[in-house]
Amino acid sequence: MPSFLFYLFAAITLGFGLNVILARNPVTSALSLAVSFVGLAALFISLDAYFIGIIQILVYTGAVMVLFLFIIMLLDIQKEEAKRANTAAVIGGVVLAVVLTLQVAAVLGVFKEGAVTTEQRALSMEVASKREDVAQVKTIQKDLAAGTLPDAKLMGMTLFEQYGFHLQAIGLLLLVGTVGVVVLSKRESPGKPVV
Amino acid sequence: MSSLEIIIFIPFLAALAIWLGAPARLTAVVASTVNLLWVIVLAVRFPAFKSATDLAFVNKHVVLDNPAIAFAVGADGVSMIMALLTVLVTFAAIWQIVDKPSMYHISSLLISGGALGAFLCTDLFFIYAFHEVALIPTFLMIAIHGRAEKEQRLAVAWKTTIYLGAGSLVLLAGLVWAVIEFSGGGKLTFDLVALRAQAASSPLPAAAQAPLFFLLLVGFGTLVSLFPFHSWAAPAYATAPTPVAMLHSGVLKKFGLYGLFRIALPLLPSGAQVPWVQQALLLMLLGNILVVGLVTLHQKRLDDMLANSSVMHMGYLFLGLAAGTEIAVKGSMLLMFAHGVSIALLFAICGRMRNQLGTLEMAKLGGIGSHAPFLTVVFAFGAFASIGLPGLANFAGEVMIFMGAFANGNSSSTLIPAQGLTALHWTVILALWGVVISAVYMLRGYRAIFQGTPQTGLFMSDPASGQWLPLVLLAAVLLAVGCFPSLLLDLIQAPLVPGAIP
Amino acid sequence: MSVFNLEALLALLGLFVLLLEAFVPSVSSKALAGICMAGVAGVLVLLVTVAGGQDALPAFIGAYHQLDTLAIFYKAFALVITFLVLWLTLEAAPYLSKFTLDGKLGEMFSLPLFVCVGMMWMASAKDLVTVFVSLELVTVSFYVLVAYTRKSALALEAGVKYLILGALSTGVLVFGVAWVYGATGALSFEGITKAVQVGGVNKTALLFGVSFLLAGLGFKVAAVPFQMWVPDVYQGASTPTTVFLSVGSKAAGFAVLTRVIDALTVSGSMVRQEVITVLSIAGAVTVVVGSLPALFQTNVKRLLAYSSISHAGFLLLALAARDSVRVDLAPGGTVAFYLATYLPMTVLGFAALIQMRLNGRGEELDDFKGLAQKSPTLAFLITLAFASLAGLPLTAGFFGKMWVMLGLVDQQLWFALVCAIIGAAAGFYYYFRVILAMFTPEESTEPVRMGALARGVCVVLGCTIIVLGVYPKPLQMLLAKVPVAGKNATGH
Amino acid sequence: MITLNHYLFVSGALFALGLAGVVVRRNIIIIFMCLEMMLSAANLALVGFSRFRVTDGLPDYAAHSLVFFTITVAAAEVAVGLAVIVALYRTRQSVEVDTITRMQG
């Protein structure tokens, strides 16, 4: 990936991320977050994680952020009430963020293992096509042999062969989530007589 | 199941029965009577049952393997004496409860059971645990049924709780330290017999014994109201309901000394003789005898005076510990018993007077002797015993302590060593003045209350015939032990102080 | 029937109850609770009977799931606490149902089953992905449970607080997992153990990740500085949920923490010293920070919340002193022992609060006045529970605290030891205040009634407290066998 | 050239931004958005690490799976969370943090 594209998308991610915090209007915040997530998705794709990148856009930008917007609109929250933000909280938040960023920078300073480029750790479809686990799934092997990265297929293989148990657990979690949403947002039925 | 276990559990079972609805007075009296008789029988048969380790009626249920904790019971002479004291005072305390909520009976039984457990167990964990069990009802009774305004009695209860709670924590720390120290590097054991054996076979160097001994001294000492950790005791006894005052000052408080003599001394025989520990201890016990003694002189109310005198007399017991000679330690044992009986007797009479007269201000009282001759005689027994009159139990104990302490360090037969008087000798000399002080306040109190002209409106009669029993019993014991101290001393066969001059 | 099917069985039961509740409107709370409790009890019986003679797990699950003694213990623990929570919910139903929309408690019975499933998975987790997935199942269910009694303003408030801080901890946890993975290249505990032993790992990056990982888990067990949510959430949530959070969620968190700490402090580990230091400091501070505000509390539910923080501190210290050789317990065993003693006393304490509410009394200290006159049994049981929470000898609480302190002495963590003693001493004070209030006589003599079932369960819990306090040998023997990676290799 | 550290820095900075938002903002919905931001930052770190841990020519898909689960969980969390927030709004007519301070002490 060319450097300037990385910087562009990083700037989009962080810049709009910053705007989420700065914007007075919740709608602006939500839309900024959506854009920030698109930038993030681009970064995922630049890391050859196509499937994750797409999911990020589909789930986060497409569903989660829309849900946020929907709720903001539904509740008709215009902007934060007039009173100024708590100064202590602002200072605390800024200090926390700066310290954390500096700490990350410091850690990265000694994290020599991280000073590698994608080229130095290039993926090799040819080597991959000879893997044992890949050999069992013909379509993946074919794609790899053809020199393309079948990211979604590999993802599927991993999920269903290694993480089948977790997938079901997640299913249970989604069920609980659904039940929870129903429980928490149903209204008192108007026709019901008051006892 | 050993007899000792049954003796320990009888009070608890009786308390449970009362809680569940059994008639309070009947159950409590029956339980305490059974216990009293049983312990007397055991004490009589004790010499025959004694094993090589000087323990009788041993039994053991393992609770944990590592660290080794067991519900182990066993009585040696000292435990036997303490058990006798406990059942005696319990019987008297429970007998004199009249027209009170069942909580009085339950608490008394719990304190009694806890004390018996603490004296008759031979496992440090259970010794400690039973003492804690006995403390809780003490606190609750002071806070709820104490004889003062609500705020005041709550304050007293909290003060007592905090002092004794902190003391117990220090004590626990000291015990755990001892367990770690004397488990011989291997698996931890709370078995006192094993710990003693280890301490005897590979004792610590004297200098290393000192800090641990001092920690235990502070922990146990707080429980016995050792100066300067004594300030909870006097208000607590003055406030506590009569049975609780009798049981705590007479019996439970002695647990601290019992612990020092049965745990600290065998494990750390030279601990008390290390100069800095001994000097600190001497200073503290002089504080008990002289400072608290002078405070006692200034008390205006009978209950305050008795409470303070109880704190003061602890000083003599610690003198026995500081001396560390066989005779002084045995004297302390005897005095523990005698003091327990005499103070219980005095508190019982004191509570009766408060109920009838409504005040205990000595300035307002007088001439009771003419109305209540029986009470006067019994009170005189207690008061004279407390002073240390020959023929009553305390005398023998005090004399043994003074002689033993004075003889310490003398291999020659002369009483006064050639190199001059040591700190211990000076302490004994000063402590003797304590006897004078206690004679002054006791006699003054006796004269103010029982002699002179009766005040108008303050009338007191002798107790009804049913209430004589506990008072007569306690007074008789004081007389019997005073005339024949060997009754108790013969129970102690093995030397109490490891390696000391007999 | 293999042990790893039990969770599936329980999840199916949960589904069944959900459907039953949705399609058969006439089914009563009692029936629902009965079905759920019977199911949980059945699974517990299956667990106990099957646990002994299990075969090796099949490969598809064996890579993520283990069934050592520790796992079985925490699974059983989860089932027991779920059973008790279901009982408490049933017990509290008369007043709880006033706070729900339709006057029913339907999901209050099925959701705990899913929580239980999550906790059982956590107990067996062998890698961080499993931990994450099951942890989130538990957390999301709790979001719903905490806010379930919607008509109570406090419950919604508590729900939002728990939500925000829960989501925050999830973010922190995943960030930590990412860095641990980045530094060691492994997501499984086994892989992490190997990586920290062999070396060639960037220590700074690993510590960075570990600190976030521990912070994320620290939230779940309410360790300082992530304890802010505890008092408000505990007070606002319905009492059965509070019990579930205080005992179940905490135990599950410690089950995972035990595994994580085992992996990180294995002998020869490059971060062993740092992790132990962090744990001991966090534990020491947690004990003190939990204890001090409790001194001034007049609301007993809030007091129990603070005390629960303090207990979390003791548990962290148990982890820090985990290599103690003084007690016959495997390194993770002290924590498990402490939790096993913590369960009956906490449940009993909260059950008493429910009984108070059922009798029209509140949760303030003043509401406890005179309880000893009106219901001696209840007062006695509360005394027992609180004495045990304070750690008085002859009750269950003593040995847990004792083992922790012995361990600290053994590891020479003196600062932590001092803090633990301060916390224990403060505990005597604030628990005793409640006991004192109960025994203070009060003029009005409205009787306090307890149902037969409540009385029975409470007495059983009380007996458990005494038995564990007087005869802890069976429990200790059970936990002495907890095999832990590197136990034999632990050098001194 | 763009190295792993570049990605990690972006991840760290985004995480810090989210954290700052959680502390600074008082609108619960925006706080919730910031939490999502933190979660995504963690995902970026995971994906970055997995891309650079090439074994047999492929990135580590185990970490990808974790990211997949994280996103799913986040979605469920958002759904439940927003439901709670809406329920709160119905009773309070506000989504400000300052209004949920009934319990103190």
Side-chain angles (χ1 to χ4, degrees), chain C residues 7-33:
Chain C
E7 286 92 344
L9 217 58
L10 211 54
L12 281 177
L13 178 68
L15 280 176
F16 171 72
V17 173
L18 267 182
L19 292 174
L20 189 69
E21 202 260 334
F23 291 105
V24 190
S26 59
V27 67
S28 68
S29 284
K30 254 185 196 153
L32 281 179

mmCIF file of all heavy atoms in Angstrom, chain C residues 7-33:
data_model
loop_
_atom_site.group_PDB
_atom_site.id
_atom_site.type_symbol
_atom_site.label_atom_id
_atom_site.label_comp_id
_atom_site.label_asym_id
_atom_site.label_seq_id
_atom_site.Cartn_x
_atom_site.Cartn_y
_atom_site.Cartn_z
ATOM 1 N N GLU C 7 -23.362 -27.629 29.274
ATOM 2 C CA GLU C 7 -23.695 -26.249 28.963
ATOM 3 C C GLU C 7 -24.782 -26.201 27.897
ATOM 4 O O GLU C 7 -25.728 -25.422 27.985
ATOM 5 C CB GLU C 7 -22.472 -25.483 28.475
ATOM 6 C CG GLU C 7 -21.486 -25.137 29.555
ATOM 7 C CD GLU C 7 -20.422 -26.205 29.708
ATOM 8 O OE1 GLU C 7 -20.634 -27.328 29.200
ATOM 9 O OE2 GLU C 7 -19.388 -25.922 30.331
ATOM 10 N N ALA C 8 -24.622 -27.070 26.893
ATOM 11 C CA ALA C 8 -25.618 -27.107 25.816
ATOM 12 C C ALA C 8 -26.991 -27.469 26.384
ATOM 13 O O ALA C 8 -28.011 -26.869 26.037
ATOM 14 C CB ALA C 8 -25.194 -28.114 24.755
ATOM 15 N N LEU C 9 -26.968 -28.422 27.311
ATOM 16 C CA LEU C 9 -28.217 -28.851 27.942
ATOM 17 C C LEU C 9 -28.888 -27.673 28.642
ATOM 18 O O LEU C 9 -30.091 -27.437 28.519
ATOM 19 C CB LEU C 9 -27.875 -29.932 28.968
ATOM 20 C CG LEU C 9 -28.842 -31.089 29.136
ATOM 21 C CD1 LEU C 9 -29.012 -31.804 27.824
ATOM 22 C CD2 LEU C 9 -28.314 -32.019 30.205
ATOM 23 N N LEU C 10 -28.061 -26.924 29.345
ATOM 24 C CA LEU C 10 -28.560 -25.785 30.100
ATOM 25 C C LEU C 10 -29.087 -24.706 29.153
ATOM 26 O O LEU C 10 -30.128 -24.091 29.404
ATOM 27 C CB LEU C 10 -27.427 -25.231 30.964
ATOM 28 C CG LEU C 10 -27.805 -24.592 32.276
ATOM 29 C CD1 LEU C 10 -28.630 -25.529 33.112
ATOM 30 C CD2 LEU C 10 -26.540 -24.191 33.020
ATOM 31 N N ALA C 11 -28.369 -24.485 28.052
ATOM 32 C CA ALA C 11 -28.803 -23.481 27.079
ATOM 33 C C ALA C 11 -30.146 -23.891 26.477
ATOM 34 O O ALA C 11 -31.043 -23.056 26.289
ATOM 35 C CB ALA C 11 -27.756 -23.318 25.991
ATOM 36 N N LEU C 12 -30.286 -25.185 26.213
ATOM 37 C CA LEU C 12 -31.559 -25.672 25.674
ATOM 38 C C LEU C 12 -32.683 -25.433 26.672
ATOM 39 O O LEU C 12 -33.776 -25.011 26.311
ATOM 40 C CB LEU C 12 -31.452 -27.163 25.351
ATOM 41 C CG LEU C 12 -30.729 -27.487 24.043
ATOM 42 C CD1 LEU C 12 -30.628 -28.998 23.866
ATOM 43 C CD2 LEU C 12 -31.471 -26.867 22.878
ATOM 44 N N LEU C 13 -32.382 -25.700 27.923
ATOM 45 C CA LEU C 13 -33.382 -25.447 28.958
ATOM 46 C C LEU C 13 -33.785 -23.980 28.952
ATOM 47 O O LEU C 13 -34.972 -23.634 29.047
ATOM 48 C CB LEU C 13 -32.823 -25.848 30.326
ATOM 49 C CG LEU C 13 -33.748 -25.589 31.508
ATOM 50 C CD1 LEU C 13 -34.940 -26.504 31.451
ATOM 51 C CD2 LEU C 13 -33.020 -25.740 32.825
ATOM 52 N N GLY C 14 -32.771 -23.111 28.825
ATOM 53 C CA GLY C 14 -33.050 -21.678 28.776
ATOM 54 C C GLY C 14 -33.975 -21.340 27.618
ATOM 55 O O GLY C 14 -34.955 -20.604 27.762
ATOM 56 N N LEU C 15 -33.684 -21.903 26.443
ATOM 57 C CA LEU C 15 -34.530 -21.669 25.271
ATOM 58 C C LEU C 15 -35.956 -22.136 25.530
ATOM 59 O O LEU C 15 -36.929 -21.438 25.240
ATOM 60 C CB LEU C 15 -33.969 -22.437 24.070
ATOM 61 C CG LEU C 15 -32.801 -21.797 23.351
ATOM 62 C CD1 LEU C 15 -32.295 -22.719 22.256
ATOM 63 C CD2 LEU C 15 -33.246 -20.480 22.748
ATOM 64 N N PHE C 16 -36.042 -23.332 26.117
ATOM 65 C CA PHE C 16 -37.349 -23.900 26.388
ATOM 66 C C PHE C 16 -38.151 -22.981 27.303
ATOM 67 O O PHE C 16 -39.321 -22.688 27.057
ATOM 68 C CB PHE C 16 -37.167 -25.284 27.018
ATOM 69 C CG PHE C 16 -38.441 -25.879 27.537
ATOM 70 C CD1 PHE C 16 -39.399 -26.348 26.646
ATOM 71 C CD2 PHE C 16 -38.695 -25.961 28.896
ATOM 72 C CE1 PHE C 16 -40.576 -26.886 27.113
ATOM 73 C CE2 PHE C 16 -39.864 -26.488 29.370
ATOM 74 C CZ PHE C 16 -40.819 -26.954 28.475
ATOM 75 N N VAL C 17 -37.496 -22.475 28.339
ATOM 76 C CA VAL C 17 -38.197 -21.611 29.288
ATOM 77 C C VAL C 17 -38.631 -20.313 28.607
ATOM 78 O O VAL C 17 -39.734 -19.815 28.816
ATOM 79 C CB VAL C 17 -37.308 -21.332 30.510
ATOM 80 C CG1 VAL C 17 -37.940 -20.304 31.421
ATOM 81 C CG2 VAL C 17 -37.053 -22.612 31.274
ATOM 82 N N LEU C 18 -37.734 -19.790 27.748
ATOM 83 C CA LEU C 18 -38.079 -18.575 27.004
ATOM 84 C C LEU C 18 -39.346 -18.793 26.191
ATOM 85 O O LEU C 18 -40.288 -17.997 26.222
ATOM 86 C CB LEU C 18 -36.950 -18.217 26.044
ATOM 87 C CG LEU C 18 -35.881 -17.246 26.511
ATOM 88 C CD1 LEU C 18 -34.910 -17.003 25.374
ATOM 89 C CD2 LEU C 18 -36.509 -15.939 26.948
ATOM 90 N N LEU C 19 -39.361 -19.914 25.464
ATOM 91 C CA LEU C 19 -40.513 -20.204 24.604
ATOM 92 C C LEU C 19 -41.765 -20.430 25.438
ATOM 93 O O LEU C 19 -42.848 -19.926 25.126
ATOM 94 C CB LEU C 19 -40.223 -21.434 23.750
ATOM 95 C CG LEU C 19 -39.130 -21.221 22.703
ATOM 96 C CD1 LEU C 19 -38.796 -22.516 22.003
ATOM 97 C CD2 LEU C 19 -39.571 -20.168 21.694
ATOM 98 N N LEU C 20 -41.577 -21.184 26.520
ATOM 99 C CA LEU C 20 -42.708 -21.482 27.392
ATOM 100 C C LEU C 20 -43.335 -20.187 27.895
ATOM 101 O O LEU C 20 -44.547 -20.007 27.908
ATOM 102 C CB LEU C 20 -42.202 -22.320 28.565
ATOM 103 C CG LEU C 20 -43.263 -22.918 29.483
ATOM 104 C CD1 LEU C 20 -44.016 -23.985 28.744
ATOM 105 C CD2 LEU C 20 -42.619 -23.473 30.739
ATOM 106 N N GLU C 21 -42.466 -19.280 28.284
ATOM 107 C CA GLU C 21 -42.921 -18.033 28.855
ATOM 108 C C GLU C 21 -43.646 -17.194 27.797
ATOM 109 O O GLU C 21 -44.614 -16.502 28.075
ATOM 110 C CB GLU C 21 -41.711 -17.292 29.426
ATOM 111 C CG GLU C 21 -42.036 -16.269 30.471
ATOM 112 C CD GLU C 21 -42.042 -14.885 29.900
ATOM 113 O OE1 GLU C 21 -41.343 -14.694 28.892
ATOM 114 O OE2 GLU C 21 -42.743 -14.020 30.433
ATOM 115 N N ALA C 22 -43.147 -17.305 26.538
ATOM 116 C CA ALA C 22 -43.721 -16.486 25.471
ATOM 117 C C ALA C 22 -45.049 -17.049 24.981
ATOM 118 O O ALA C 22 -45.989 -16.309 24.693
ATOM 119 C CB ALA C 22 -42.734 -16.388 24.314
ATOM 120 N N PHE C 23 -45.149 -18.377 24.887
ATOM 121 C CA PHE C 23 -46.317 -18.954 24.227
ATOM 122 C C PHE C 23 -47.359 -19.501 25.189
ATOM 123 O O PHE C 23 -48.467 -19.797 24.780
ATOM 124 C CB PHE C 23 -45.873 -20.053 23.252
ATOM 125 C CG PHE C 23 -45.126 -19.495 22.079
ATOM 126 C CD1 PHE C 23 -43.746 -19.628 21.973
ATOM 127 C CD2 PHE C 23 -45.811 -18.794 21.084
ATOM 128 C CE1 PHE C 23 -43.073 -19.095 20.904
ATOM 129 C CE2 PHE C 23 -45.124 -18.252 20.014
ATOM 130 C CZ PHE C 23 -43.756 -18.396 19.916
ATOM 131 N N VAL C 24 -46.984 -19.678 26.437
ATOM 132 C CA VAL C 24 -47.976 -20.138 27.409
ATOM 133 C C VAL C 24 -48.102 -19.062 28.471
ATOM 134 O O VAL C 24 -47.450 -19.126 29.509
ATOM 135 C CB VAL C 24 -47.553 -21.485 28.041
ATOM 136 C CG1 VAL C 24 -48.694 -22.064 28.866
ATOM 137 C CG2 VAL C 24 -47.105 -22.447 26.970
ATOM 138 N N PRO C 25 -48.897 -18.041 28.220
ATOM 139 C CA PRO C 25 -48.928 -16.893 29.142
ATOM 140 C C PRO C 25 -49.424 -17.268 30.531
ATOM 141 O O PRO C 25 -49.138 -16.569 31.494
ATOM 142 C CB PRO C 25 -49.925 -15.935 28.476
ATOM 143 C CG PRO C 25 -50.210 -16.495 27.130
ATOM 144 C CD PRO C 25 -49.856 -17.932 27.126
ATOM 145 N N SER C 26 -50.121 -18.396 30.635
ATOM 146 C CA SER C 26 -50.724 -18.706 31.925
ATOM 147 C C SER C 26 -49.728 -19.299 32.911
ATOM 148 O O SER C 26 -50.026 -19.454 34.086
ATOM 149 C CB SER C 26 -51.873 -19.692 31.724
ATOM 150 O OG SER C 26 -51.369 -20.865 31.125
ATOM 151 N N VAL C 27 -48.526 -19.627 32.422
ATOM 152 C CA VAL C 27 -47.585 -20.303 33.321
ATOM 153 C C VAL C 27 -47.123 -19.319 34.391
ATOM 154 O O VAL C 27 -46.828 -18.158 34.123
ATOM 155 C CB VAL C 27 -46.410 -20.896 32.525
ATOM 156 C CG1 VAL C 27 -45.563 -19.818 31.916
ATOM 157 C CG2 VAL C 27 -45.580 -21.792 33.409
ATOM 158 N N SER C 28 -47.090 -19.799 35.624
ATOM 159 C CA SER C 28 -46.811 -18.895 36.738
ATOM 160 C C SER C 28 -45.311 -18.772 36.981
ATOM 161 O O SER C 28 -44.513 -19.585 36.519
ATOM 162 C CB SER C 28 -47.472 -19.411 38.006
ATOM 163 O OG SER C 28 -46.833 -20.603 38.396
ATOM 164 N N SER C 29 -44.962 -17.726 37.726
ATOM 165 C CA SER C 29 -43.560 -17.533 38.087
ATOM 166 C C SER C 29 -43.033 -18.741 38.833
ATOM 167 O O SER C 29 -41.901 -19.175 38.629
ATOM 168 C CB SER C 29 -43.414 -16.302 38.968
ATOM 169 O OG SER C 29 -43.517 -15.137 38.210
ATOM 170 N N LYS C 30 -43.875 -19.266 39.706
ATOM 171 C CA LYS C 30 -43.443 -20.400 40.507
ATOM 172 C C LYS C 30 -43.077 -21.584 39.636
ATOM 173 O O LYS C 30 -42.055 -22.234 39.843
ATOM 174 C CB LYS C 30 -44.552 -20.793 41.470
ATOM 175 C CG LYS C 30 -44.243 -20.382 42.885
ATOM 176 C CD LYS C 30 -45.288 -20.889 43.842
ATOM 177 C CE LYS C 30 -45.132 -20.117 45.137
ATOM 178 N NZ LYS C 30 -46.345 -20.015 45.895
ATOM 179 N N ALA C 31 -43.937 -21.836 38.624
ATOM 180 C CA ALA C 31 -43.677 -22.967 37.747
ATOM 181 C C ALA C 31 -42.381 -22.749 36.975
ATOM 182 O O ALA C 31 -41.533 -23.647 36.871
ATOM 183 C CB ALA C 31 -44.846 -23.151 36.789
ATOM 184 N N LEU C 32 -42.211 -21.524 36.441
ATOM 185 C CA LEU C 32 -40.989 -21.228 35.698
ATOM 186 C C LEU C 32 -39.766 -21.438 36.583
ATOM 187 O O LEU C 32 -38.792 -22.098 36.194
ATOM 188 C CB LEU C 32 -41.015 -19.774 35.222
ATOM 189 C CG LEU C 32 -41.861 -19.478 33.989
ATOM 190 C CD1 LEU C 32 -41.794 -17.995 33.658
ATOM 191 C CD2 LEU C 32 -41.377 -20.296 32.804
ATOM 192 N N ALA C 33 -39.821 -20.853 37.779
ATOM 193 C CA ALA C 33 -38.688 -20.978 38.688
ATOM 194 C C ALA C 33 -38.435 -22.445 39.014
ATOM 195 O O ALA C 33 -37.283 -22.895 39.039
ATOM 196 C CB ALA C 33 -38.955 -20.195 39.974
#
